[in-house]
Amino acid sequence: MGKRQIPDPPNLKKYGVPFYSVAWIPQNLIKSRQIETADDSNDSDHNSASSTEPESEPPTKAELEPSSIAGNYVLFAGGGGAGRSGIPNALVIAHFDIESNSLSSEPVCKLGTDSELPYRMALQSQGDGLICAMETPKVCRWFDWDHQNKSSEIHKLSLKLSDKVLTQLEDVGQQLALAFNNDGTALAAGGEDGNLRVFKWPSMEVILDESNAHSSVKDLHFSSDGKFLASLGSGGPCRVWDVSSSMVLSSLPNENRETFSSCRFSQTNDKTQVLYIAAMTDKGGSILTWNTQTWERMGSKYVIRDAISAFNVSADGKILACGTPSGDIVIVNSTNMRIQTMIKKAHLGIVTALAFSPDSRALASVSMDSSARVTIIEEKTTGLSLWIAVFIILLAIAAYFLQQGIEK
């Protein structure tokens, strides 16, 4: 007899599209649509009610807000390219329910992009829309949130190709990295040709245009205050740019033939601002840490033998996540840089992108095997915390028996 096929867990779904990018839809967009929907519904109920019935109290803001995790709609991008493989190119929106730990079986929205493969994307945090770098052809497209039917329920949230043309990113070749700063006022784009561009948003006024930033730009990330931009290239150092002056602040070297793959600004528990870089070292996949005041290397932590194909950091800075070409996901506690959770074969193919939910409670991951997954981050009790808890319990027991002795 053949082996019985084990069904996929509810937090793992396949939507028929090889995925290269993932992002959580901005919470302010979801809240505004929920409130609009609730207001429309309340008006309708009020108009149809009898005038003799007492008016009910309007719902509070808390009642209108989602009961599940912040930003529980996830956007995926990818496809099969321009060939005749039959594999579609699309942007896919799915819903994640934290109570049942499940992704929606069918997409909430699936917007086909014809022969254009959306390879990289960046969402504007204030809800303006999103930019996609297409692999075929090598252009950038802007997509708007579709608000045509405001009375619809939130699951009608959808996208549409915008009429807006990003002239400054036309005929500039393949863009391998895109990033908005936290408040959505600056957009950075890194090209396959090594050109790094930064624009004011939405005016698209040029802030920085460096044609030889790297041999090829692989990753970009703004610091939380938007003052710095880190850029990674193929086979070279990581460069940190002062956005206001368009000057290089520091060039962080790759030592002992290290290969840098991803960069993320964050902070440690004591609020020290740091820059993490995922790298392949002589030991294997590792996470390197730099101090953003001195730009000195603070440490290097070996994580896994495999390379790190995807990397991200939670918004609260407590958790680091790594994806591998083998489909594994490694979740690391930033306090002690120890592995908190290892999910072997989370995907059957290479993990191409990772994104934490805005409240840091869940991690979305995607793969070229057409699968999307959301993993709930479970807090693990550290050895020190466990000993403290045991000590407190023993003190309570001792105090109880001491009290009993005094009363006797």
Side-chain angles (χ1 to χ4, degrees):
M1 292 179 62
K3 290 185 178 180
R4 184 178 178 183
Q5 187 174 3
I6 300 174
D8 290 332
N11 64 330
L12 175 70
K13 291 291 186 293
K14 289 192 174 182
Y15 297 111
V17 178
F19 291 126
Y20 297 94
S21 293
V22 59
W24 294 79
I25 294 177
Q27 177 66 3
N28 58 337
L29 176 68
I30 295 173
K31 284 182 178 180
S32 66
R33 287 179 62 82
Q34 283 182 319
I35 293 173
E36 287 168 359
T37 302
D39 287 344
D40 292 341
S41 175
N42 291 334
D43 290 343
S44 174
D45 292 343
H46 177 72
N47 292 336
S48 63
S50 169
S51 59
T52 59
E53 293 181 1
E55 292 187 8
S56 59
E57 290 293 325
T60 64
K61 181 179 178 182
E63 292 171 335
L64 296 174
E65 292 188 358
S67 58
S68 56
I69 63 172
N72 55 354
Y73 284 78
V74 196
L75 175 62
F76 313 108
R84 299 180 179 179
S85 63
I87 301 174
N89 301 304
L91 296 169
V92 176
I93 298 175
H95 175 256
F96 178 70
D97 178 42
I98 194 171
E99 299 299 329
S100 61
N101 188 22
S102 62
L103 272 168
S104 53
S105 297
E106 297 296 328
V108 171
C109 168
K110 188 173 184 178
L111 177 65
T113 55
D114 298 324
S115 62
E116 298 185 359
L117 166 60
Y119 180 62
R120 290 287 183 261
M121 68 176 175
L123 276 65
Q124 204 273 346
S125 60
Q126 303 306 310
D128 285 1
L130 63 125
I131 183 175
C132 281
M134 304 301 194
E135 185 185 47
T136 50
K138 302 181 188 304
V139 297
C140 287
R141 304 285 191 206
W142 183 261
F143 294 85
D144 293 321
W145 301 109
D146 193 350
H147 294 290
Q148 289 182 358
N149 186 3
K150 290 188 177 181
S151 63
S152 65
E153 294 181 2
I154 189 168
H155 66 257
K156 299 297 183 183
L157 181 69
S158 60
L159 287 164
K160 63 180 179 180
L161 180 62
S162 177
D163 295 330
K164 180 185 297 185
V165 177
L166 302 175
T167 309
Q168 294 84 343
L169 288 173
E170 285 193 314
D171 303 319
V172 295
Q174 177 71 57
Q175 299 302 293
L176 299 180
L178 297 168
F180 276 103
N181 62 358
N182 278 355
D183 62 7
T185 58
L187 167 67
E192 188 176 34
D193 60 359
N195 198 309
L196 172 62
R197 299 174 175 87
V198 181
F199 308 94
K200 290 183 180 180
W201 184 264
S203 68
M204 290 298 285
E205 176 187 339
V206 176
I207 300 174
L208 186 155
D209 189 348
E210 177 56 57
S211 60
N212 295 308
H214 301 278
S215 58
S216 181
V217 181
K218 294 196 298 185
D219 198 20
L220 298 167
H221 196 247
F222 283 97
S223 59
S224 59
D225 58 10
K227 293 181 179 179
F228 304 143
L229 174 69
S231 65
L232 279 185
S234 298
C238 173
R239 287 182 172 163
V240 181
W241 305 78
D242 182 296
V243 176
S244 61
S245 68
S246 302
M247 300 294 290
V248 175
L249 276 180
S250 185
S251 186
L252 311 179
N254 47 333
E255 302 171 356
N256 303 319
R257 294 181 295 178
E258 296 165 339
T259 303
F260 295 166
S261 58
S262 298
C263 55
R264 290 293 182 271
F265 283 100
S266 187
Q267 64 180 18
T268 59
N269 282 349
D270 62 0
K271 305 302 181 182
T272 300
Q273 300 297 310
V274 295
L275 175 65
Y276 293 113
I277 294 181
M280 190 66 179
T281 68
D282 55 357
K283 295 181 179 179
S286 304
I287 299 173
L288 317 179
T289 310
W290 269 268
N291 185 301
T292 61
Q293 298 295 322
T294 63
W295 300 114
E296 293 180 353
R297 187 185 289 215
M298 297 169 61
S300 173
K301 177 64 177 178
Y302 164 74
V303 176
I304 192 169
R305 181 178 298 179
D306 212 346
I308 297 174
S309 58
F311 177 70
N312 220 324
V313 183
S314 61
D316 61 14
K318 295 180 179 180
I319 302 294
L320 317 178
C322 305
T324 74
S326 303
D328 302 335
I329 291 176
V330 184
I331 296 172
V332 178
N333 187 311
S334 68
T335 302
N336 51 27
M337 295 301 284
R338 293 180 180 175
I339 294 176
Q340 178 171 306
T341 306
M342 165 80 81
I343 308 170
K344 300 289 289 183
K345 298 296 180 184
H347 299 270
L348 297 180
I350 180 174
V351 179
T352 50
L354 298 166
F356 281 93
S357 61
D359 63 2
S360 305
R361 293 176 60 194
L363 173 71
S365 56
V366 292
S367 170
M368 285 180 63
D369 69 358
S370 301
S371 66
R373 181 185 186 114
V374 175
T375 302
I376 295 175
I377 306 299
E378 298 179 357
E379 292 189 12
K380 298 287 184 71
T381 302
T382 65
L384 178 61
S385 299
L386 182 60
W387 279 112
I388 291 174
V390 170
F391 181 68
I392 291 174
I393 292 171
L394 291 175
L395 281 179
I397 293 172
Y400 171 78
F401 283 109
L402 180 61
Q403 183 66 30
Q404 294 297 313
I406 292 174
E407 291 179 353
K408 288 179 180 179

